[in-house]
Amino acid sequence: MTDGSIWSVAPLVLLGLAAILAMVLAPIQPTPRVRIAAALPMALAVIILLARLGAPEAPVSMLLADDGMARLGSALAAAAGLGILSFTRTICTGREGPALVAIAAAGGVALASANHGATLFLGLELTTLPMVALALMPRTEAAVEAGYKLFLIAGVGAGALLMGLVFGFGASGSLRLDAWSVDGPVAAIGLAFVLVGLSVKFALVPFHMWSPDLFAGAPAPVGAIAGSISKVAVAIAALRIGLSLPAPEIWTLGLLLAGGAAVILGNLAALRQDNLLRMLGYSSIAHSGYIALVLSVGGELMGETVLVYVASYAPAIVAAFAVAGLMGTGTRLEDLRGLAWSRPLAGVALGVALLSMAGLPPAVGFVAKIYLFSTLAGEAAWGPLVIAAIGSALGFAYYLRFAVRIFTAPRQPAPRATLNRADAVAMAASIALLITLGLYPEPLTSLVAASLP
Amino acid sequence: MSWGLAIWAATVAFGAAILAVTRPSAVHALLLLLAALISLGVGFFAMAANFAGAIQLLIYAGAVVAVFVFVVMTIDAGDEAMAAERELLRHAWRWPALIVGLSVVPVIFGIGGGAMGEGDPAPALASDLGLLMFGDWSAATELITLLLIAGMLGVRHLGRKLGPRLRERNPE
């Protein structure tokens, strides 16, 4: 083993270490201390990943890629896990919470680096199973429904993915991600099954049913994992599959139909929601749809657009869930009135996150939307462009409805509440990230450009 | 190695799988699932994949089905329950049956050639499997251990009695 390959496997080892530390310390230490014990190795993993972004490839195993895409995706997944840890409280996810968040982050790293069927499947399961376990933790009716819905639908998705791997193996005798590039119906059916498996995890229509229930019914960290770690990792896995195949029709057409339906249905359903988290659940379906449209259209900017989009969406969703974790998962539109007065930091964090998801300047979501529209327009894909434009216009309506309510003066002056330190750090960091990268996107775009072949 | 026997076993497995997803009674479905798993094992043996065949019989037909049996023992299988199940399954069987049916498509298309049946099977021993698990595939082995930890944490929590705090929030 050379020097480089030790560093290439270090992030995964550190995240596994974080999970085991958190699991062992959970019964004997209070949760805040367990969170710190898990956060230190995770932070170290993020630092190593970012430091090695331009380093030469040193893959340690044939199952895990060590290219820039894997490193950037892993860094995003681990950083999102770090943010989610800050609001993983005993009250909602039990003492097991931090360990499960660390395992989900490790799953995100495995999935973002997967260049083989085995790691693709294991990474997908490794992000799903901790989400199910975390969702069931409060054992309330809504949480149990959300957890089982995810468990059953994700089980069907995992079965479809395995079926796709088997068909690819039957067609080409290989389990690598280019297995479906041979001609013939067997490979095409296999690729369709893989697309179904990924769409379930990516919450594309018609496999989206679990997403709103999970966001609104389960504890806050679960929705945050579904929106950040899992979304980043699945987008990168789909991008990697797309790049290793010569754009087969069944892949692009399937992504186009599922993505277009997700943009339209997700945005229309989000428009009618009164509950903050249910709105975020439906709108996350729409965001998956935008990424799927880019993947189906292809073109030179495809990789950059997908990476910039997930990198700008992940901090926004983590910030929104940090606030939702503070206010309770049943937060409705009216509860947000005057949040900027009673808890200024939380109000600003949620407001900036919503602006970023809507794609408005000065938040980083604006940059992502520019990439999205220039890719679609650059490839002269007018149909997807119109769908994305209608979706974004609907998005302005419902995101601003919630954002405006935060900054509306309260009816009676509410007392100033104090935040605990972990919440405050996570919220301040995400505000800084969303605004800085929105005003000065050059670091983000150059990181993304450096991480693509 | 006998292709005739292998294809016969695969056909039996396919038929059993179709029947398994269309039965209203959980016990019958389970027995048919067992039949499908055993015929798959026979298919492996017929293709001279003795190790895979043994694993198939020991783990899938043996251990996994035993777990299912424990669950089925808790299911009410009286006449009333059967009638209710039949009512529920009146339309529900179509999709599972279609998905099982799809699995035969590559056999129809690919039976003449492709990667099927090329080359002699290499002898597979437990030591080879061990070398693979801790050699090329060690990353997958480590990921599976993390997956087991996640499953264990979740199941342990679900199996715990509700404490006073949880019971208060979750009145029966």
Side-chain angles (χ1 to χ4, degrees), chain A residues 9-63:
Chain A
V9 79
L12 203 51
V13 173
L14 283 168
L15 290 179
L17 185 71
I20 291 168
L21 262 181
M23 181 181 72
V24 173
L25 289 180
I28 49 176
Q29 293 286 341
T31 303
R33 238 180 254 170
V34 175
R35 292 198 311 219
I36 291 173
L40 289 177
M42 282 168 91
L44 198 57
V46 178
I47 293 169
I48 291 176
L49 283 161
L50 287 180
R52 284 189 73 240
L53 213 57
E57 290 185 25
V60 73
S61 154
M62 62 160 191
L63 301 178

Side-chain angles (χ1 to χ4, degrees), chain A residues 62 96 116 118 137 139 189, chain B residues 105 137 157-158 160 162 170:
Chain A
M62 62 160 191
E96 295 92 337
H116 190 278
M137 285 295 167
R139 295 213 276 189
I189 294 172
Chain B
V105 170
W137 286 68
H157 180 82
L158 271 183
R160 195 155 46 191
L162 287 178
N170 201 7

Side-chain angles (χ1 to χ4, degrees), chain A residues 93-198:
Chain A
T93 54
R95 284 166 171 271
E96 295 92 337
L100 289 166
V101 171
I103 294 178
V109 170
L111 190 53
S113 337
N115 65 350
H116 190 278
T119 26
L120 184 66
F121 175 74
L122 284 174
L124 214 59
E125 285 296 286
L126 208 48
T127 46
T128 309
L129 213 54
M131 268 159 65
V132 174
L134 279 170
L136 293 171
M137 285 295 167
R139 295 213 276 189
T140 57
E141 210 166 281
V144 170
E145 184 190 336
Y148 274 101
K149 224 173 221 173
L150 173 66
F151 186 55
L152 290 177
I153 299 178
V156 173
L161 182 75
L162 280 181
M163 199 93 133
L165 291 173
V166 168
F167 280 27
F169 186 73
S172 67
S174 150
L175 279 173
R176 306 194 73 87
L177 295 189
D178 55 3
W180 304 277
S181 56
V182 293
D183 286 329
V186 180
I189 294 172
L191 193 56
F193 270 120
V194 171
L195 188 57
V196 169
L198 291 179

